Amino acid sequence: MKLFLDTANLEQIKQGVKWGVSGVTTNPTLVAAEGVGDYKTLVRAICDIVPGEVSAEVTVEGAAAMIAQGREIAAWHDNVVVKVPCTPDGFEVASQLGNDGIKVNMTLCFSASQALLAALCGAYFISPFMGRLDDIGQDGLDLLAEIVDIYDKGSLETRVLAASVRHPGHVLQAASLGAYAATIPFKVLEQLARHPLTDSGNARFLADWHGRAAKKA
Ligand code: E4P
């Protein structure tokens, strides 16, 4: 399974690549958090850092406007995937952009029926939001499992990108279900890397090593 970072912060992305991250997802909230800079410049800068796909979301409403903006975003870089919400307009946009040969990531997916439609519209990625379902007392894992099963049984080629990831458990659950990738906040990436017993064990090894050097001297 691949790991993507869910951020538009260039420093986090540079560090993430050093820890095995191969793609990035952004959304309007994450881009806005980075300040008032130019959207295209920011997305291109991200593409210059990561080797894999970078999702950039449309920021307009109405199918015609979304299609026009999606075509524009797709032209920013070869690795850009256009992110489109799982709305009635969004499915139409995914079909049209797919016919143009543009990769689409259908985002804000909260049901298996939306995931089925996304696949039938030719979406490249489907992004089920695990954390936001957990937040309202439903189980994001159940949705992920249902989508993986439907796609497997129907030989549907859309890649499952586990999103709205809140903790390392979500990442491991996505991996064991066979999701193509999980997109995670930088905080969760750091949590994946650390274990308190590794830190204390390493501190002890180094202390013993330096103690030995001191004894020799
Ligand atoms: C995915 O592409 C989204 O940007 C993201 O995972 C949303 O997560 P959130 O629920 O933490 O905002």
Side-chain angles (χ1 to χ4, degrees):
M1 189 187 71
K2 294 174 190 286
L3 275 186
F4 292 179
L5 262 187
D6 194 34
T7 183
N9 183 283
L10 298 179
E11 293 312 310
Q12 292 180 353
I13 294 166
K14 283 180 196 159
Q15 185 58 52
V17 168
K18 293 179 193 165
W19 288 342
V21 163
S22 58
V24 165
T25 54
T26 66
N27 63 40
T29 303
L30 295 171
V31 172
E34 295 308 308
V36 201
D38 178 58
Y39 190 16
K40 174 178 169 179
T41 306
L42 179 62
V43 170
R44 283 183 146 171
I46 294 172
C47 291
D48 287 341
I49 300 170
V50 275
E53 292 101 346
V54 174
S55 291
E57 191 156 345
V58 295
T59 57
V60 292
E61 289 179 284
M66 290 159 79
I67 289 167
Q69 193 193 22
R71 287 178 175 147
E72 199 185 311
I73 290 173
W76 290 349
H77 194 283
D78 283 350
N79 289 353
V80 165
V81 177
V82 179
K83 220 169 165 194
V84 172
C86 281
T87 59
D89 278 342
F91 293 115
E92 183 179 331
V93 173
S95 289
Q96 182 57 61
L97 294 181
N99 289 341
D100 293 351
I102 292 170
K103 290 178 179 169
V104 171
N105 174 358
M106 295 218 71
T107 188
L108 289 166
C109 172
F110 293 100
S111 75
S113 57
Q114 290 176 319
L116 177 60
L117 271 190
L120 297 176
C121 289
Y124 186 76
F125 286 132
I126 184 70
S127 291
F129 275 36
M130 300 176 78
R132 291 194 195 187
L133 276 177
D134 291 355
D135 291 347
I136 60 162
Q138 295 184 26
D139 193 343
L141 181 62
D142 285 349
L143 174 62
L144 195 68
E146 200 178 356
I147 294 172
V148 168
D149 185 50
I150 288 169
Y151 281 10
D152 278 354
K153 289 186 174 135
S155 301
L156 298 169
E157 287 175 2
T158 300
R159 294 156 175 79
V160 179
L161 175 49
S164 187
V165 165
R166 296 276 193 267
H167 50 74
H170 275 156
V171 180
L172 300 180
Q173 288 163 349
S176 70
L177 282 171
Y180 175 84
T183 186
I184 66 177
F186 189 74
K187 190 186 101 187
V188 174
L189 181 63
E190 289 182 309
Q191 289 172 335
L192 286 175
R194 298 198 90 91
H195 194 286
L197 290 179
T198 305
D199 291 343
S200 60
N202 195 39
R204 175 68 190 270
F205 284 157
L206 291 174
D208 288 348
W209 178 257
H210 291 303
R212 169 188 170 276
K215 268 186 220 156
K216 271 177 105 181

